[in-house]
Amino acid sequence: MGVRITSTLRPRWRYIAFKVWSERLEELDFDGARELVIRALSDVLGPVGMGRLRPWLMRWDEELRAGILRVERGQESPARAALSLYREDPELGRVFLEVLGTSGTVKGAERLLSRVPRWDVEEVDGRTFLIYENGEVDVVEDGRIVAHASYEDPLPD
Amino acid sequence: MDEVDPLRMALATDRLGYDVVVLSLELRAEDLDLSELEWLNEELADIQDRVDALLLPGCKLEAESPSELRRAIARVRPEVYYLAVGGGEPDINRTALSDTRVDTLSHPERGNPHAGLGKHDIELAREKHTYVEIDLSRLLRRSGERLAWQVSRIRDLLRMRRRKRFPVTVALGSRDPLELIPPKQLEDVLSLIGLTEEEIEEVLVESPREFLRWNVACKHLFVVPGVAVVEDGG
């Protein structure tokens, strides 16, 4: 039986909802996302800095490419900064880990996931277009974003 | 922004929650083509009503010779609301800081193992009220040891600023949507580097607001302080 900890000794947590934007659009399952977060935090903060956060990936939505990361209370700011500063990943190429918000509860963080913009996928002449609800368009070739465009000019030179 | 169309950048910054966005072109002073700025102005006028954020045109000048830089500043200034000069070389840094028409000297530390500013440069920045800009894209494009060196250069700049109180601001310098950061995350990055809450408010909100407000007010009659405008009695 594990050690019981009284509520006053129990650590307090904060939940960071985040979305992964990347150059390469490979499938990212829970384990892949967990490794990505660990790479990001240890790359920027180092092992000791990452240990101070006590990070734990709680949820991962493969379709949205978004998840919830648990960190110790008071350590949200360095965690968010480390996610922002991680820009090049060996698996996904150029990445941007967008923080959607921070919450004190898992339920609150789940609500933040609704901020992820929805998109449609269209195939034209062997090219794939990711069309986001706000008019942004990403042009994809061979699983990699080759151009960032908009609904007015979806086929830049 | 050179490789991405302005509408896409405007939509992406709008989604991330920015209120005011300066979309800048990076031009070389030696082969300056003002038609590119005219194109940017027209594009921004077209797309302004499609986003909530206020869009302003800007320009970042890169130069090798101070004389070419001075000529280019005079030509570019009336076209934009924000004029930055890409620094690094000591004579370019000094030329930019001594010209009141320049809003910011961007990355003076480029190519230097320190902040890139000396005693005279700091005095010039204070006297002419030219902002020294921390270009965050230079931080975001680095990792490992290079990231560590870049952080030390920025901290060197902060150390000088705390002693001498010269104007400093921050720019994202993003070239595509993958290089953007929401404002809240930007505060966290600056806090991790070592800026205090007051400094973050000052460099991230107050400084850009101050020079953009000034430039919007003076757009079509940009007057260099110290030069009197006189009526032609003739």
Side-chain angles (χ1 to χ4, degrees):
Chain A
M1 205 174 105
V3 179
R4 283 179 66 85
I5 302 173
T6 59
S7 63
T8 49
L9 290 178
R10 223 171 279 153
R12 297 285 180 261
W13 305 108
R14 283 288 174 269
Y15 302 91
I16 299 173
F18 68 100
K19 152 104 181 119
V20 176
W21 301 85
S22 63
E23 191 184 15
R24 278 184 236 140
L25 299 173
E26 284 159 19
E27 279 190 17
L28 199 59
D29 59 7
F30 186 90
D31 288 338
R34 193 173 60 87
E35 282 163 22
L36 171 70
V37 170
I38 289 170
R39 277 198 298 273
L41 297 178
S42 64
D43 194 71
V44 178
L45 301 172
V48 177
M50 189 175 90
R52 289 174 63 178
L53 307 182
R54 298 180 72 185
W56 195 260
L57 186 64
M58 303 277 297
R59 301 262 194 285
W60 177 250
D61 188 320
E62 250 182 87
E63 202 179 315
L64 288 179
R65 288 167 80 88
I68 298 171
L69 177 71
R70 186 186 78 180
V71 296
E72 206 171 280
R73 188 169 69 182
Q75 299 293 330
E76 313 89 280
S77 179
R80 284 191 303 245
L83 295 178
S84 322
L85 283 172
Y86 189 67
R87 293 290 165 151
E88 190 76 45
D89 185 70
E91 308 277 321
L92 299 171
R94 293 174 59 219
V95 288
F96 164 36
L97 305 178
E98 181 190 349
V99 172
L100 303 165
T102 309
S103 172
T105 61
V106 179
K107 200 173 173 183
E110 279 171 348
R111 271 198 288 268
L112 294 170
L113 294 182
S114 64
R115 291 186 188 173
V116 176
R118 308 287 153 170
W119 67 87
D120 278 334
V121 180
E122 273 192 32
E123 299 263 351
V124 182
D125 297 336
R127 274 176 160 182
T128 309
F129 293 85
L130 303 181
I131 304 166
Y132 296 91
E133 59 189 355
N134 66 339
E136 293 178 73
V137 177
D138 283 336
V139 187
V140 181
E141 276 180 20
D142 302 325
R144 185 176 159 268
I145 294 176
V146 291
H148 299 283
S150 62
Y151 62 95
E152 280 229 325
D153 189 12
L155 276 174
D157 299 332
Chain B
M1 208 207 71
D2 297 11
E3 297 126 31
V4 180
D5 78 300
L7 177 58
R8 173 61 195 264
M9 284 305 269
L11 290 169
T13 48
D14 198 39
R15 171 170 52 80
L16 294 176
Y18 284 90
D19 294 329
V20 181
V21 181
V22 177
L23 293 172
S24 298
L25 286 181
E26 196 173 305
L27 300 175
R28 291 208 59 79
E30 282 77 15
D31 38 55
L32 189 63
D33 182 5
L34 284 184
S35 63
E36 292 184 54
L37 285 173
E38 283 160 18
W39 166 81
L40 179 67
N41 279 325
E42 284 167 17
E43 285 281 313
L44 294 190
D46 282 349
I47 62 181
Q48 178 60 77
D49 52 348
R50 289 170 222 184
V51 290
D52 294 331
L54 173 65
L55 305 175
L56 297 172
C59 177
K60 181 175 166 187
L61 284 172
E62 290 286 349
E64 279 167 17
S65 89
S67 55
E68 287 289 342
L69 177 62
R70 274 188 218 104
R71 266 195 289 276
I73 290 169
R75 291 176 65 199
V76 166
R77 181 70 260 188
E79 304 289 330
V80 292
Y81 286 101
Y82 165 79
L83 177 57
V85 171
E89 292 295 321
D91 49 352
I92 296 294
N93 285 354
R94 200 158 294 183
T95 308
L97 288 172
S98 59
D99 199 319
T100 49
R101 292 169 296 185
V102 175
D103 293 318
T104 67
L105 167 65
S106 193
H107 51 71
E109 81 284 351
R110 183 168 62 180
N112 295 307
H114 45 72
L117 296 174
K119 184 179 151 193
H120 294 294
D121 303 312
I122 290 171
E123 281 306 315
L124 276 173
R126 284 163 57 116
E127 191 186 320
K128 308 284 182 181
H129 211 67
T130 308
Y131 287 80
V132 176
E133 183 185 275
I134 300 171
D135 185 356
L136 281 180
S137 67
R138 294 177 63 76
L139 200 69
L140 300 177
R141 288 184 200 137
R142 286 165 162 74
S143 61
E145 190 187 335
R146 294 179 70 222
L147 175 64
W149 283 116
Q150 189 59 25
V151 171
S152 344
R153 289 183 195 112
I154 294 174
R155 286 185 64 89
D156 193 30
L157 182 75
L158 280 176
R159 179 183 60 79
M160 289 180 177
R161 184 185 175 273
R162 283 173 188 157
R163 291 187 65 181
K164 296 286 183 181
R165 298 292 305 168
F166 56 92
V168 173
T169 186
V170 170
L172 264 185
S174 310
R175 283 163 191 267
D176 68 39
L178 278 180
E179 288 188 354
L180 287 168
I181 313 186
K184 182 71 191 152
Q185 264 175 286
L186 198 53
E187 286 176 24
D188 294 322
V189 170
L190 294 174
S191 167
L192 187 70
I193 293 171
L195 276 81
T196 62
E197 267 182 41
E198 294 79 42
E199 284 171 334
I200 292 173
E201 172 77 10
E202 215 169 302
V203 301
L204 200 60
V205 182
E206 288 170 16
S207 301
R209 189 183 285 164
E210 191 182 312
F211 67 73
L212 286 175
R213 193 174 282 166
W214 168 260
N215 288 347
V216 168
C218 304
K219 175 75 168 77
H220 295 296
L221 52 145
F222 199 87
V223 180
V224 180
V227 177
V229 180
V230 291
E231 291 277 337
D232 186 2

